Amino acid sequence: MAERSRLAVLGAGHLGPVIARLAIKAGYPVTIAASGDPEDIALITELMIPGVQPRWAADAVADADIVVLAIPLHRFPDLDPGLLSGKLVIDAMNYWPASDGVVQAFEDGGSSEIVSRRLAGSAVVKALNHIGYHELEDRARPAGAPDRGAVGIAGDDPVAVAATAALADRIGYHPVRLGSLRAGRALQPGGPVFGVVLTRPEFERAVRVEAMGEEAARDEAAREELRSLS
Ligand SMILES: NC(=O)c1ccc[n+]([C@@H]2O[C@H](COP(=O)([O-])OP(=O)(O)OC[C@H]3O[C@@H](n4cnc5c(N)ncnc54)[C@H](OP(=O)(O)O)[C@@H]3O)[C@@H](O)[C@H]2O)c1
């Protein structure tokens, strides 16, 4: 097997351990960190994620090629952007006002675009955020399975997008590239593919229909503006 990138998963709650387990099964060396002492998660990770190494977050990141952010979005400001500089960062976080509080910047746009602006030295890709943690594990399928689900991959750096697509494929999903980080808004809560596992054709259709809706809305706004000028 070709040498796999080293993965650090930040977040040892619901989502992080599932991503770590799937990645270990796919042959990636994986470390995991919560916000504090790795001793605190050593026993549980040994039981739940055989093969993973619990680390301090800074150490896990320092040794990784790919860092997966599986922490609540309101905890994201705790992370030092300098630590993540030069890394491929997979943003699996979502904005949940009920737990994150209402943050106007997130209400108005794409959360990963904001994450990416803060992590200016990293290549940020939005992925693995739109499927619930239970399903992410249960619905993973090898290539060729008829009911294999799709995972959206949104980013502006083609190399980072390709590496994330390879990861998604190896953990059991069809990677579907969305073209840009901005296009990753379709993967957010309230978007057309959020919270459901769709096959690739279903996924592509849902994203296309949503984009057509946006285009129609933009056309209507432009027509409205013209009418107001005449
Ligand atoms: N749950 C899902 O099905 C699901 C699916 C897709 C996406 N997501 C998104 O993934 C994110 C995490 O969700 P979750 O349900 O897994 O949350 P969770 O169960 O509350 O777990 C959060 C984890 O993040 C850790 N953490 C917080 N700040 C950290 C930091 N600075 N460095 C390292 N670790 C840190 C926490 O560690 P401590 O205990 O030490 O604070 C905890 O282990 C959210 O943005 C969520 O929207 C969740």
Side-chain angles (χ1 to χ4, degrees):
M1 193 199 309
E3 201 174 305
R4 295 274 194 261
S5 303
R6 294 160 303 169
L7 227 74
V9 177
L10 298 190
H14 293 103
L15 181 65
V18 166
I19 294 175
R21 249 192 323 265
L22 289 170
I24 287 172
K25 203 169 147 199
Y28 289 85
V30 182
T31 56
I32 192 163
S35 64
D37 191 330
E39 276 298 317
D40 297 343
I41 58 168
L43 183 60
I44 190 81
T45 52
E46 192 184 328
L47 291 172
M48 286 179 56
I49 325 166
V52 82
Q53 287 179 50
R55 307 280 300 274
W56 288 96
D59 297 340
V61 169
D63 288 343
D65 307 298
I66 301 177
V67 179
V68 181
L69 299 183
I71 70 176
L73 196 51
H74 67 270
R75 306 282 299 274
F76 169 67
D78 300 347
L79 294 178
D80 170 9
L83 203 67
L84 293 157
S85 187
K87 307 287 177 185
L88 191 181
V89 173
I90 298 179
D91 177 13
M93 300 180 293
N94 291 305
Y95 168 53
W96 282 115
S99 56
D100 293 319
V102 175
V103 182
Q104 200 52 46
F106 291 127
E107 295 278 330
D108 293 341
S111 62
S112 292
E113 294 153 69
I114 294 168
V115 166
S116 175
R117 278 199 287 278
R118 183 168 155 82
L119 302 182
S122 313
V124 175
V125 176
K126 187 180 195 69
L128 304 175
N129 71 299
H130 63 87
I131 299 178
Y133 73 104
H134 268 306
E135 285 191 299
L136 190 66
E137 188 146 48
D138 295 348
R139 290 293 312 273
R141 298 284 186 277
D147 62 343
R148 195 178 208 221
V151 155
I153 315 281
D156 298 328
D157 178 322
V159 175
V161 166
T164 307
L167 172 69
D169 183 37
R170 288 175 184 138
I171 68 171
Y173 289 86
H174 273 305
V176 176
R177 298 169 198 220
L178 295 184
S180 67
L181 199 57
R182 191 185 192 290
R185 293 179 184 198
L187 306 174
Q188 297 190 155
V193 297
F194 188 81
V196 279
V197 180
L198 300 173
T199 62
R200 181 163 57 180
E202 290 168 341
F203 185 101
E204 288 174 342
R205 197 176 317 118
V207 170
R208 221 171 25 244
V209 166
E210 165 93 350
M212 278 162 60
E214 264 187 31
E215 208 171 297
R218 268 201 305 276
D219 287 352
E220 181 52 35
R223 275 197 294 276
E224 189 60 37
E225 203 176 323
L226 278 177
R227 273 199 292 275
S228 72
L229 291 175
S230 61

